């Protein structure tokens, strides 16, 4: 399948801002050592270069359909991107410290298209509510950027005169969203239900997105009803990431993991 | 550029926002219109030869311009130096308009602009930053002025 690398190259090198960048240790597929790579997260794409100053991009990982997990590794502060369909890959990464680990995990968890779609829908509803309360007519955001069209790549053309955000039919996230959005929504619902009964050590089996080390990712098809509430989803994610990392740290400290560099930086 | 091909092919099999058989013509001189099954999934446009499992290719729908070419056709132009244009031919005007709308709304850039608009407006109307409740107000991607350069200091 052709990926149209020129489009990707343009996307990564154009002036629009990136979401997150920094050095990550990436485990190779053929050469299975961890190699330091300058990584750039932009949208749902994780690009990687040999170093920051390098102009050429080595590769890109499309972040749809993957879960982010802490992983058992000889490296400290490791995490992996797990593509759950059979035959698909797991990408392993490691960073220097716990704050970086947490920061990258959060960024990667919320990079997928479904997350942003849900957030947008949520803000749209809040906006409509706010205009109603203030007695204002809601505006169509597209009209307001009319004079910036020349500078902004996206132009609307003689489109359907879209009043998408002022009279929206509620998008059915269950049908239209991609694979990973389904997981997000379903994971949140499962988490919300299990939250009160769960002990700190146990994990609701249904959460594939942030999973402990020795739980296999649950197979598809076990999920409960998806939620369409971004707020709920977000709450749960934040909490779970923090708890997971705290749990893991406690576990490691209990095992008396020695200090000292596990990664030889040369 | 290396990419996770298997995972992207897997993505192409997921439920799509929009899918149809369209006439598609590539950007190079001499390219002709070919019948392709076109699928819009997240911010990717996959295109397949009819009845083939694996897509021929995937177009990332970022940094591009979508235009109505005529009654039944639209184009997507990618904004790199070559500004290569892909043409798509639809069966009806309505289908053409629906595709243009969906493609425009699929990009992160579009979503980000809308998010920032709603964030600003909600703050103006309610005095509250809606992203604060989610703890994401500091994320770079939601900042208003991220892509603008600071103005030079005025002459003294």
């Amino acid at each position: 399948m052709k990926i149209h690398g020129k489009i990707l190259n343009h996307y990564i090198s154009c002036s629009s801002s990136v979401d997150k960048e920094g050095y990550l240790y990436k485990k190779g597929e053929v050469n299975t050592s961890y190699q330091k790579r300058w990584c750039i997260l932009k949208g749902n794409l994780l690009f990687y270069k040999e170093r920051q100053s390098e102009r050429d991009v080595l590769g890109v990982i499309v972040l749809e359909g993957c879960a982010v997990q802490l992983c058992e590794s000889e490296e400290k502060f490791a995490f992996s991107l797990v593509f759950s369909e059979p035959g698909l890959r797991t990408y392993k990464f490691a960073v220097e410290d716990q704050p970086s680990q947490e920061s990258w995990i959060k960024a990667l968890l919320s990079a997928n298209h479904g997350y942003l779609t849900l957030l947008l829908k949520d803000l749209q509803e809040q906006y409509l509510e706010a205009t109603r309360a203030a007695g204002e007519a809601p505006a169509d955001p597209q009209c307001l950027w009319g004079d910036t069209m020349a500078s902004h790549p996206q132009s609307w053309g003689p489109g359907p005169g879209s009043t998408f955000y002022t009279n929206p039919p509620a998008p059915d996230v269950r049908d239209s969203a991609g694979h990973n959005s389904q997981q997000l929504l379903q994971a949140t619902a499962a988490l919300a239900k299990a939250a009160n009964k769960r002990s700190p050590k146990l994990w609701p089996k249904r959460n594939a997105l942030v999973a402990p080390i020795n739980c296999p990712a649950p197979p598809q098809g076990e999920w409960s009803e998806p939620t369409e509430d971004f707020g709920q989803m977000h709450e749960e994610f934040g909490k779970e990431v923090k708890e997971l990392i705290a749990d893991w740290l406690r576990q490691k400290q209990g095992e008396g993991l020695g200090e000292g560099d596990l990664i030889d930086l040369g | 550029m290396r990419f996770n091909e298997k995972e992207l092919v897997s993505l192409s099999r997921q439920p799509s926002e929009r899918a149809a058989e369209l006439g598609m013509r590539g950007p190079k001189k001499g390219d002709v219109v070919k019948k392709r099954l076109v699928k819009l999934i997240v911010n990717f446009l996959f295109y397949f030869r009819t009845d083939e499992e694996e897509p021929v290719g995937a177009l990332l729908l970022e940094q591009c311009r979508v235009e109505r070419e005529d009654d039944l056709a639209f184009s997507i132009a990618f904004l790199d130096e070559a500004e290569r244009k892909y043409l798509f031919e639809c069966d009806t005007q309505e289908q053409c308009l629906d595709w243009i709308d969906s493609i425009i709304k699929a990009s992160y850039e579009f979503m980000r602009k809308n998010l920032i608009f709603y964030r600003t407006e909600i703050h103006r109307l309610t005095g509250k930053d809606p992203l604060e409740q989610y703890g994401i107000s500091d994320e770079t991607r939601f900042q208003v002025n991220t892509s603008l350069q600071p103005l030079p200091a005025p002459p003294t």
Side-chain angles (χ1 to χ4, degrees), chain A residues 66-70 80-84 109 180 183-184 186-188 190-191 203-212 215-220 223 237 244:
Chain A
C66 65
V68 186
Q69 293 183 1
L70 293 186
S80 45
L81 296 173
V82 183
F83 288 86
S84 41
L109 264 177
N180 198 48
Q183 286 178 291
L184 275 173
Q186 290 159 337
T188 311
L191 280 172
W203 201 268
K205 290 280 184 176
R206 296 172 181 190
N207 182 15
L209 283 171
V210 185
C215 260
Q220 299 282 333
W223 309 99
F237 271 169
L244 187 66

Side-chain angles (χ1 to χ4, degrees), chain A residues 1-2 4 10 17 44 58-60 62 89 91 110-113 122 136 144 153-154 156 162 164-165 234, chain B residues 2 4-5 7 43 47 56-58 63-64 79 86 104-108 114 117-118 124 134 141 146:
Chain A
M1 177 178 67
K2 187 173 180 197
H4 297 272
H10 176 69
S17 62
N44 52 356
L58 283 177
V60 64
V62 178
R89 221 192 117 165
Y91 290 84
S110 63
N112 63 84
H113 199 267
D122 187 80
E136 269 188 31
L144 297 173
Q154 305 283 71
W156 317 123
S162 176
F164 184 82
Y165 289 104
H234 190 87
Chain B
R2 285 179 235 149
N4 52 334
E5 180 162 3
E7 289 74 21
N43 54 343
Y47 52 100
V56 175
Q63 287 289 304
C64 62
L79 301 171
Y86 291 78
I104 287 170
K105 284 163 180 162
S107 78
Y108 274 69
N114 276 268
F117 169 79
Y118 289 135
R124 174 181 70 82
Y134 300 134
R141 55 184 171 163
T146 311

Side-chain angles (χ1 to χ4, degrees), chain A residues 1-12 14-20 26 37 42-45 47-48 57-65 83 85 87-91 106-107 110-117 119-120 122-124 126-127 130-131 134 136 139-142 144-145 148 152-160 162-166 174-179 229-232 234-235, chain B residues 1-18 24 27-28 40-47 54-69 77-82 84 86 97-98 100-126 128-131 133-136 139-143 146-147:
Chain A
M1 177 178 67
K2 187 173 180 197
I3 189 65
H4 297 272
K6 289 197 183 130
I7 299 172
L8 293 170
N9 264 308
H10 176 69
Y11 182 54
I12 190 59
C14 76
S15 57
S16 64
S17 62
V18 303
D19 298 331
K20 190 173 175 63
K26 180 177 169 293
R37 294 283 179 249
K42 197 166 180 182
N44 52 356
L45 301 170
F47 294 88
Y48 52 96
V57 171
L58 283 177
V60 64
I61 302 169
V62 178
L63 301 167
E64 295 288 339
F83 288 86
E85 299 276 307
L88 300 187
R89 221 192 117 165
T90 291
Y91 290 84
K106 275 165 111 169
S110 63
N112 63 84
H113 199 267
Y115 176 98
L116 221 63
T117 304
L119 176 59
L120 184 57
D122 187 80
L123 286 200
Q124 179 193 337
Q126 287 191 46
Y127 172 68
T131 52
E136 269 188 31
D140 182 348
Q142 296 175 54
L144 297 173
W145 314 326
T148 66
H152 191 263
Q154 305 283 71
S155 79
W156 317 123
S162 176
T163 53
F164 184 82
Y165 289 104
T166 52
R174 276 164 285 189
D175 291 340
S176 62
H179 179 66
D229 190 282
F230 178 85
Q232 199 181 10
H234 190 87
E235 277 286 307
Chain B
M1 191 189 296
R2 285 179 235 149
F3 69 102
N4 52 334
E5 180 162 3
K6 281 204 203 134
E7 289 74 21
L8 199 54
V9 172
S10 171
L11 179 65
S12 78
R13 289 198 212 104
Q14 301 311 316
S16 61
E17 177 67 27
R18 195 168 287 284
M24 181 176 171
K28 300 193 204 121
L40 172 63
I41 298 171
V42 296
N43 54 343
F44 276 95
L45 199 68
F46 295 99
Y47 52 100
E54 186 173 308
V56 175
L59 297 165
L60 173 71
L61 299 169
E62 303 285 345
Q63 287 289 304
C64 62
R65 183 178 62 237
V66 188
E67 281 178 319
R68 186 88 176 275
E69 291 292 328
F78 292 94
L79 301 171
D80 56 1
E81 294 137 27
R84 282 146 320 113
Y86 291 78
L97 293 172
D98 285 346
I100 291 173
D101 191 57
S102 299
I103 289 169
I104 287 170
K105 284 163 180 162
S107 78
Y108 274 69
E109 289 154 353
F110 177 88
M111 290 198 285
R112 188 178 154 262
K113 286 224 158 187
N114 276 268
L115 276 164
I116 290 171
F117 169 79
Y118 289 135
R119 179 187 187 181
T120 313
E121 284 295 287
I122 291 166
H123 186 254
R124 174 181 70 82
L125 291 163
T126 67
K128 288 200 212 128
D129 175 2
L131 298 187
Q133 68 182 127
Y134 300 134
I136 54 179
E139 289 189 14
T140 317
R141 55 184 171 163
F142 301 137
Q143 302 315 307
T146 311
S147 42

